[in-house]
Amino acid sequence: MTEIDTRALRDAFGNFMTGVTVVTTRDASGNPVGFTANSFTSVSLDPPLLLVCPGKFLSSHDTFAGCTHFAVNVLADGQQGVSNTFASFKGDRFGRVAHRDGANGLPLIDGALAQFSCETHQALPAGDHTVLIGRVTEFTHIGGNGLGYVNGSYFSLGLEREMDAQVPTICGAIVAANGKVLLERHDGAFRPVQIAGAEPGGQRNRLAQGLSDRGIQAQIEQVYSSFNDAETNLHYTFFLASCRQTAQTDNAEWVDIGDLADLTYASKSLHHMMTRYALEAREGVFGLYLGDAERGEIHSFGKGAI
């Protein structure tokens, strides 16, 4: 494939939501090594098999491809820092992350939802990765919500379910493309694209249909903000969404992200949200805000490096 085809294929693969894991083992000198993976898959119950796929670009690839044992740690919501450490940090990763030794001395990450100690069953070359199949010899698991990953960003499975269970009077999207955001004009002020009447459990579908009805073909991503607005006495839930191009729409215009904080919005809450978005977009790291116009909490999901 051409380089353009490869990037397009990566984008297509990225639409598949996965859980995030850290795979660990020890090298020939007994030093712990690990990497972040979103390729964990259960294969068989009898015998108990699972697989992960270390990339050949990893400095630890040969260690994993030739190891006799390895462990898979399924990360919990809130462990995006652990994921980023094993995905991008080049120093002593295990010095930054709490862990303990499990079966066969394999490093197990503290706080992980599930931990599988494996004996290597088979290692198969597969293009630019190796398919590493392990036979589970020991495992533990606890209750909780997993850390998810899709379209290059983390998301919280628990918070997504919590947001989806609410009944937003208004749901909407901050639609971005090529460094611009699509804003509607309403009563002389700006606001992000809004859709009324979403039922619980159907916000994403209703929003996708509403955007499509307006000629906007967008990829809806994570929940970005959910808040009560005292000025309008309404509850809002906004998602992040992305377009490949800035198509023209009625009663809306594309605004440079750098100009968002200087505009007049339909309410103070919307102004706060769009100002925060402009700051976070500059860093490429987004969070979920829960609260109202005066007080709330930002749950950081981060930007992945998997």
Side-chain angles (χ1 to χ4, degrees), residues 3 67 82 161 191:
E3 184 177 346
C67 70
V82 175
R161 282 195 291 266
R191 68 184 189 186

Side-chain angles (χ1 to χ4, degrees), residues 34 36 39 43 45 47 97 112-113 135 145 159-160 167 171 194 214 216 235 238:
T36 298
S39 57
V43 174
L45 294 176
V97 173
L113 285 184
R135 184 183 182 112
N145 296 311
L159 286 172
E160 287 277 315
V167 184
C171 69
Q194 297 179 9
R214 301 182 191 194
I216 305 169
H235 182 85
F238 283 93

Side-chain angles (χ1 to χ4, degrees), residues 223-292:
V223 181
Y224 184 66
S225 192
S226 186
F227 58 89
N228 295 309
D229 190 331
E231 292 181 57
T232 60
N233 198 31
L234 297 172
H235 182 85
Y236 292 84
T237 296
F238 283 93
F239 292 77
L240 297 183
S242 59
C243 284
R244 292 192 176 275
Q245 58 184 359
T246 52
Q248 298 300 312
T249 63
D250 295 335
N251 196 37
E253 62 184 89
W254 293 93
V255 178
D256 287 337
I257 291 177
D259 296 333
L260 293 177
D262 299 325
L263 302 178
T264 299
Y265 292 92
S267 71
K268 184 191 299 183
S269 297
L270 293 178
H271 186 269
H272 287 172
M273 180 179 71
M274 297 309 300
T275 300
R276 176 171 72 91
Y277 175 83
L279 293 172
E280 293 183 340
R282 190 181 308 159
E283 301 295 328
V285 178
F286 299 101
L288 166 61
Y289 178 85
L290 302 176
D292 54 33

Side-chain angles (χ1 to χ4, degrees), residues 32-213:
V33 294
F35 70 96
T36 298
N38 61 346
S39 57
F40 162 73
T41 305
S42 59
V43 174
S44 169
L45 294 176
D46 185 16
L49 302 177
L50 57 75
L51 70 79
V52 292
C53 297
K56 293 181 179 178
F57 55 85
L58 295 172
S59 59
S60 58
H61 170 268
D62 291 348
T63 297
F64 280 99
C67 70
T68 59
H69 296 82
F70 65 92
V72 178
N73 302 269
V74 180
L75 298 187
D77 177 21
Q79 288 191 299
Q80 52 265 40
V82 175
S83 175
N84 282 334
T85 294
F86 283 94
S88 57
F89 185 69
K90 302 302 182 183
D92 180 11
R93 294 168 171 174
F94 289 90
R96 295 164 59 99
V97 173
H99 65 282
R100 61 182 175 83
D101 285 347
N104 298 299
L106 295 170
L108 301 178
I109 305 300
D110 289 355
L113 285 184
Q115 300 163 325
F116 303 92
S117 296
C118 301
E119 178 183 273
T120 299
H121 178 75
Q122 199 169 10
L124 304 170
D128 56 8
H129 283 63
T130 290
V131 177
L132 186 60
I133 301 175
R135 184 183 182 112
V136 179
T137 57
E138 290 189 12
F139 68 94
T140 62
H141 67 98
I142 60 176
N145 296 311
L147 179 64
Y149 188 80
V150 66
N151 288 319
S153 295
Y154 297 115
F155 67 93
S156 163
L157 296 173
L159 286 172
E160 287 277 315
R161 282 195 291 266
E162 179 182 334
M163 291 301 96
D164 211 34
Q166 293 189 16
V167 184
T169 305
I170 301 292
C171 69
I174 301 175
V175 182
N178 303 324
K180 298 178 181 290
V181 170
L182 185 64
L183 297 178
E184 298 176 332
R185 284 189 176 274
H186 183 72
D187 292 338
F190 286 100
R191 68 184 189 186
V193 179
Q194 297 179 9
I195 308 294
E199 297 297 326
Q203 290 96 309
R204 283 179 178 271
N205 291 339
R206 178 71 182 90
L207 183 58
Q209 184 60 54
L211 292 174
S212 179
D213 291 344

